[in-house]
DNA sequence: TCTGGGGTCCTAGGACCC
DNA sequence: TCTGGGGTCCTAGGACCC
């Protein structure tokens, strides 16, 4: 029988912070999104104070102060590194691992030959905890959707000790009757509303839904979920991530932007970063979309603009992408608005070495390779942002805030934790 | 009165995920 | 004053083709 395990880190970003700062243990902790905008990770102590996922920080600033909540900016460098270490541990417990997100992985535990899978999962948990310091939960099920559901139960029923096994059908049905349908993986608010209309409220209700009705109501995606809930796998383990189709860099400004030079600078900075990401993945794009818009939270006139430009050949050359992005911004710029966000996206990505040459007007690839190679080498040696195109600006008053970021303990020599011994 | 059939490709928008 | 970022997949509709 097929058995999937879903392992994820509890309050993952907060747990990462606690690994390196034990003073945070036992205290409510939250980690904020980019720009210190809203809470994206909360420990149970913080949830108990009523802090929700996505809660805007300026609305809970006083609450956090009054209750001694530790508030941190997100430190993706640190979280990414700990995530990689956790996945190395998973590899010791299954030869087949799919890294699903920064804090979740699916493991294929099929064919473990009569081993006690729950015991195996408990051992995995204990090992991850000991070797990385991160607490996890594990859900076991015959399909991915059921493994996710088991993981949800493992999180919400403390008596299970962090491991929930839903491979046994009778036990599964009984448990599913107590789980709200909104907790099923792939069922979002719009689907919940539709399902509620036909009296479908629990995971068990959804598992019993007629396939044709599920398809009509929720498209093939919903029909697949019904099969998966019934224990019939439709989703496979994806050990090798398929080539990504798009790549984007989008940011809220730390303050509103209302003049063209600043917008040009910000978009240039995003484009520079996009080019770095493309090169890191060995990808190139010949379609670039640039957008910026005002905030619906603001009073005053609203406006959003977007322009897609086609390049003569697919590339990840910073300068080529910069000139395309600049032209796009100038073409769609409109005065008189206070813009809150801008972004650049490449779509329809291809592998850089497979980019076709155009008949006319081709880029000088050799020259580009030498220049960009030198750029990347400097930034690899001295840190990202050491050498930037002038168009991307130096002072960057619009740039994202990270006012409460913890040190990048595991990836920056100059930010290593310091231990002092008295003697 | 009556106006074919069957494709492909692209785009925009919706929904969902972490 | 202050409300995240980056993905995936599906569908519908229009343009275009023979």
């Amino acid at each position: 029988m097929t058995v999937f395990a879903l392992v994820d880190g509890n309050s993952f970003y907060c747990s990462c912070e606690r690994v390196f700062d034990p003073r945070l243990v036992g205290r409510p902790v939250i980690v904020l999104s980019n720009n210190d905008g809203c809470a994206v990770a909360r420990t149970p102590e913080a949830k108990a104070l009523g802090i929700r996922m996505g809660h805007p920080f300026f609305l809970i600033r006083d609450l956090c102060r009054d209750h001694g909540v530790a508030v941190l900016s997100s430190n993706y460098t640190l979280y990414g590194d700990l995530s990689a270490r956790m996945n190395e541990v998973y590899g010791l417990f299954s030869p087949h691992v799919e890294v699903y997100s920064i804090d979740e992985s699916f493991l294929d535990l099929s064919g473990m030959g009569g081993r006690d899978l729950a015991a195996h999962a408990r051992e995995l948990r204990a090992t991850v905890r000991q070797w990385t310091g991160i607490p996890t939960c594990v859900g076991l099920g015959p399909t991915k959707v059921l493994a996710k559901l088991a993981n949800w139960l493992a999180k919400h029923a403390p008596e299970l000790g962090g491991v929930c096994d839903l491979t046994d059908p009778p036990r599964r049905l009984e448990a599913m009757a107590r789980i709200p349908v909104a907790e099923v993986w792939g069922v979002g608010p719009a689907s919940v509303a539709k399902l509620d209309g036909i009296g479908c409220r629990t995971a068990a209700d959804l598992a019993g839904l007629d396939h044709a009705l599920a398809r009509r109501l929720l498209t093939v995606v919903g029909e697949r979920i019904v099969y998966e809930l019934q224990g019939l796998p439709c989703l496979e383990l994806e050990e090798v991530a398929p080539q990504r189709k798009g790549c984007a860099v989008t940011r809220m400004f730390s303050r509103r932007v209302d003049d063209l030079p600043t917008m040009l600078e910000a978009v240039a900075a995003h484009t520079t970063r996009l080019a770095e990401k493309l090169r890191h993945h060995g990808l190139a794009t010949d379609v670039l979309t640039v957008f910026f818009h005002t905030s619906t939270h603001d009073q005053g006139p609203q406006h959003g603009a977007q322009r897609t430009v086609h390049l003569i050949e697919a590339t990840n050359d910073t300068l080529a992408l910069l000139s395309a992005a600049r032209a796009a911004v100038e073409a769609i710029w409109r005065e008189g608005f206070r813009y809150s966000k801008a972004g650049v996206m490449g779509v329809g990505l291809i592998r850089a070495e497979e980019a076709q040459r155009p008949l006319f007007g081709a880029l000088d690839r050799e020259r580009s390779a030498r220049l960009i190679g030198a750029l990347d080498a400097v930034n690899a040696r001295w840190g990202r942002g050491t050498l930037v195109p002038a168009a991307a600006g130096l002072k960057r008053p619009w740039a994202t805030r990270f006012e409460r970021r913890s040190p990048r303990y595991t990836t920056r020599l100059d930010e290593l934790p310091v231990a002092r011994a008295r003697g």
Side-chain angles (χ1 to χ4, degrees), chain A residues 7-10 85-86 89-90 92-93 107 117-138 160-163:
Chain A
V7 194
D8 74 343
N10 302 343
R85 292 168 195 235
M86 292 166 72
V89 180
Y90 303 157
L92 304 176
F93 287 81
L107 280 58
L117 292 179
H120 193 62
R122 282 193 290 275
E123 193 187 334
L124 181 155
R125 263 193 102 225
T127 310
V128 173
R129 182 66 192 255
Q130 188 180 350
W131 293 5
T132 69
I134 303 290
T136 54
C137 281
V138 186
L160 293 176
V163 175

Side-chain angles (χ1 to χ4, degrees), chain A residues 28 30 45-52 55 57-69 71:
Chain A
I30 62 172
E45 299 87 347
K47 291 175 193 174
L49 292 172
I51 299 174
R52 297 185 312 274
H55 212 139
F57 178 54
F58 76 93
L59 292 178
I60 51 173
R61 189 180 298 251
D62 293 347
L63 177 89
C64 289
R65 192 195 49 224
D66 296 346
H67 291 83
V69 178
V71 180

Side-chain angles (χ1 to χ4, degrees), chain A residues 21-261:
Chain A
D21 189 351
R23 290 170 300 182
L24 299 176
V25 176
R27 269 181 76 186
V29 181
I30 62 172
V31 172
L32 302 177
S33 64
N34 270 336
N35 247 345
D36 295 346
C38 32
V40 290
R42 309 103 74 216
T43 61
E45 299 87 347
K47 291 175 193 174
L49 292 172
I51 299 174
R52 297 185 312 274
M53 180 68 182
H55 212 139
F57 178 54
F58 76 93
L59 292 178
I60 51 173
R61 189 180 298 251
D62 293 347
L63 177 89
C64 289
R65 192 195 49 224
D66 296 346
H67 291 83
V69 178
V71 180
L72 294 154
S73 303
S74 38
N75 185 345
Y76 296 111
T77 312
L78 177 67
Y79 312 150
D81 184 63
L82 283 173
S83 170
R85 292 168 195 235
M86 292 166 72
N87 279 296
E88 279 186 42
V89 180
Y90 303 157
L92 304 176
F93 287 81
S94 167
H96 304 294
V97 177
E98 172 186 340
V99 180
Y100 176 66
S101 75
I102 194 165
D103 77 322
E104 288 180 42
S105 290
F106 285 101
L107 280 58
D108 187 346
L109 299 185
S110 311
M112 302 290 287
R115 293 263 286 281
D116 179 345
L117 292 179
H120 193 62
R122 282 193 290 275
E123 193 187 334
L124 181 155
R125 263 193 102 225
T127 310
V128 173
R129 182 66 192 255
Q130 188 180 350
W131 293 5
T132 69
I134 303 290
T136 54
C137 281
V138 186
L140 299 172
T143 65
K144 283 177 148 184
V145 168
L146 284 169
K148 284 279 288 188
L149 211 57
N151 179 278
W152 184 86
L153 275 176
K155 282 223 155 41
H156 290 79
E159 68 277 11
L160 293 176
V163 175
C164 175
D165 181 357
L166 287 185
T167 52
D168 176 51
R171 171 133 196 262
R172 189 156 78 222
L173 272 179
E174 184 258 324
M176 283 163 59
R178 290 183 283 112
I179 304 179
V181 74
E183 304 304 334
V184 176
W185 190 36
V187 177
S191 302
V192 170
K194 288 181 192 164
L195 291 170
D196 193 68
I198 58 164
C200 184
R201 312 265 154 77
T202 68
D205 291 341
L206 185 55
L209 199 64
D210 175 70
H211 291 149
L213 180 56
R215 194 183 189 114
R216 204 161 66 238
L217 226 52
L218 311 176
T219 78
V220 291
V221 180
E223 190 182 10
R224 270 203 293 262
I225 292 171
V226 171
Y227 277 113
E228 287 255 326
L229 283 174
Q230 294 170 340
L232 302 166
C234 300
L235 306 170
E236 294 181 346
L237 198 76
E238 291 181 7
E239 287 180 75
V240 182
Q243 192 198 293
R244 60 200 296 173
K245 300 183 169 143
C247 189
V249 177
T250 69
R251 294 277 183 283
M252 295 271 301
F253 301 125
S254 56
R255 58 178 171 79
R256 301 293 185 247
V257 167
D258 60 6
D259 65 296
L260 179 58

Side-chain angles (χ1 to χ4, degrees), chain A residues 313-345:
Chain A
E313 67 181 300
T315 183
N316 54 30
D317 180 292
T318 304
L319 301 182
L321 295 173
L322 275 175
S323 68
R326 179 182 182 93
V329 173
E330 287 174 336
I332 57 176
W333 174 256
R334 275 178 62 188
E335 288 288 338
F337 301 95
R338 300 174 68 242
Y339 296 104
S340 65
K341 182 175 182 174
V344 199
M345 301 179 283

